[in-house]
Amino acid sequence: MKYTKTIALIITLLCFLQGQGLALAQDNPNQYNYLYLTIRNGLCDNSIRAIHKDHNSFMWFGTSNGLDRYDGYELKHYSTAPRQPYLFIESNYINDIDEDDNNYLWVASEAGIMSIGNTPARTIMCFTLPFRPCLSMISIISG
């Protein structure tokens, strides 16, 4: 009986101390590093449909208005009507983004699946459903 009260007191004390530590961590907003990205910062759309962090720590955002790559400083916008031809993609409506074991990025869109190469001279290749040919295969000059 004496040991049961002692154990109960120790467990209660540990739970109280753990709860205090969690409260302190949550009360410190400077503990986490975050940034809001919106169309004001250059994001192509505020409605994000897919997010992926690749092996180089680039953040990729798929929207209904294109694909954005964020390097921590600036956004690079891939779309059907890009300012530079090496940023061309088959469809602006992005459904999903994933990466394979060889670090190729796979982007699912309404036009099909696009593969983005993992080298500095990235290559975008598009694979579509039958009777829907890809418009092009483009070699990206700047990573």
Side-chain angles (χ1 to χ4, degrees):
M1 180 94 163
K2 184 177 182 182
Y3 294 113
T4 306
K5 287 183 181 180
T6 304
I7 291 173
L9 179 63
I10 291 172
I11 290 173
T12 305
L13 183 60
L14 287 174
C15 289
F16 175 76
L17 290 175
Q18 177 144 357
Q20 289 296 325
L22 289 175
L24 290 174
Q26 292 173 354
D27 289 339
N28 185 358
N30 296 326
Q31 180 180 0
Y32 300 103
N33 217 357
Y34 59 89
L35 174 71
Y36 289 102
L37 292 174
T38 66
I39 55 175
R40 289 183 180 156
N41 306 97
L43 196 64
C44 62
D45 194 358
N46 282 336
S47 251
I48 305 296
R49 301 184 49 75
I51 299 175
H52 179 76
K53 182 178 180 180
D54 72 11
H55 71 284
N56 289 320
S57 295
F58 289 129
M59 294 297 299
W60 294 84
F61 302 100
T63 71
S64 57
N65 196 24
L67 177 67
D68 284 322
R69 188 191 79 178
Y70 184 63
D71 63 6
Y73 301 100
E74 65 181 352
L75 286 158
K76 185 174 282 192
H77 182 65
Y78 296 77
S79 76
T80 57
R83 293 182 183 176
Q84 293 95 2
Y86 60 85
L87 299 175
F88 175 82
I89 57 175
E90 294 290 327
S91 172
N92 282 340
Y93 200 83
I94 307 300
N95 292 314
D96 200 6
I97 306 167
D98 205 353
E99 190 171 11
D100 66 16
D101 293 337
N102 295 319
N103 301 325
Y104 282 85
L105 200 68
W106 293 90
V107 180
S109 71
E110 68 179 4
I113 297 175
M114 294 171 281
S115 170
I116 301 177
N118 65 349
T119 61
R122 294 177 183 266
T123 301
I124 298 178
M125 294 185 344
C126 180
F127 308 93
T128 62
L129 298 172
F131 311 115
R132 182 124 191 226
C134 287
L135 297 175
S136 62
M137 182 176 104
I138 297 173
S139 192
I140 300 177
I141 305 303
S142 68

